Amino acid sequence: MTVRVRIAPSPTGNLHIGTARTALFNWLFARHHGGEFILRIEDTDQERSRPEFTENIITGLQWLGLNWDIGPIWQTQRRHRYQEVIQQLLAQKLAYRSYETEAELQAMRQAQEAQKQAPRYNNQHRDLTPAQEAEFLAQGRQPVIRFRIDDQREIRWHDLIRGEMRWQGSDLGGDMVIARADGQPLYNFAVVVDDVDMQISHVIRGEDHLANTAKQILIYEALNALIPYFAHTPLILNSEGRKLSKRDGVTSISDFRNMGYLAPALTNYMTLLGWSPPAGEELFTLAEAIPLFSLERVNKAGSKFDWDKLNWINSHYIRQLSPEQLCSELIPFWQQAGYLFDPEADQPWLQQLTELIAPSLVTLKDGVELARFYMSELPDYDPEAIAQLQPPESQAILTALMDQTSPGDVDTAKQIVQTTVQQCGVKKGAVMKTLRAALMGAMHGPDLMQSWLILHQRQYDQPRLQAALRLAQGRSMESIVQPES
Ligand code: GLU
């Protein structure tokens, strides 16, 4: 059998992590079996679908490296096909026109509610006579198309993740609408027509679709089509054990990307959301996961989203990058933060900065805060740094530092510190602390000697020493920052 799977996102929102994880499982399954992976955009819901969401979904999948073999295929381009199948089902009397008004349907629901019954359509227009239909039409009613669901039917399938599944026809809410009055086909119908036409062998999707699968199997039967295998993946849960949703903050792949997660880290992490390789390893690339992947090892239980684990995996992938690669990943974040530099001309400097901050990065976004120290002529002096500059010896230390030629390498920088210690008759710690306060505007941060060299290359060290001296002399920051002319 040729394996053909698909991801069929609706462009009614950005690429959600749940959809991305489902795409990933489909992709791994296709690659494992040498099959095909299709991208289908389910955009029949014209009111809620937006081109920017389609764009976000496509970019997100590409960024994750989940390349598709066929598509994107847009449902809106297949309208004629859905109409054709609807006509066929109508002709076979497997579907029919249903004329209730919205008010009538609401009254039906309210009556059921009053009797504590589950809401369902009561199938009352199943067998209308031509005369009844003509009368409804004369009243100006626009019919929807409903598909007959036999209440007595038991629907069964063997789910490749969840095992034996059974569903009662009577639990499916009555005859279901498959096309609206304006002709727009609805999900449960269009998805089957597509999956049949595209010869999908395995439908791998979230377990929130279980009830839909029961309905869809009935449509496959009506179309006399081969029913694919189904595999329903567990949901991704928040820390309270509920389905991860927008309310949990970050949920879309573009959010994760903007937060500074790397694509290989996210795919590695998402693969572990509901699946584990036979030997239990936690770090692997997409390519390494392909030969190991199987649906048998996908859990039934939901998987809790674990930020600590994602961060740990992301740090790992950050460490895998060469300084050049890491630098080019960081540049867009720095540009976004408004830092001024020339990505090409300043390349050696940016790379040196990258190497300095790399060990402290968990996400690329952390690079924004860490680089802030180096990106402007003067730092923001925090109260701790200002306090460090207050003792009278600070002035002497700063003056001595300024009198010496700035360092070109670490040895020279250390030498300057040493000379200052001797000249001022102070401890080395005092020089280092004053120097840190002066150069960085903060008492904590990356390696001081390296930082000095980096600042010196941009000629920010002398202005900072001068600014610190003024602070040490008790002048306010306003007198340090030159007013713009
Ligand atoms: N458009 C549906 C969704 O995004 C597709 C579900 C399916 O895979 O059938 O949930």
Side-chain angles (χ1 to χ4, degrees), residues 6 8-10 42 187 191 205 209:
R6 84 300 191 276
S10 306
E42 300 210 324
Y187 162 71
V191 75
R205 64 183 167 205
H209 285 288

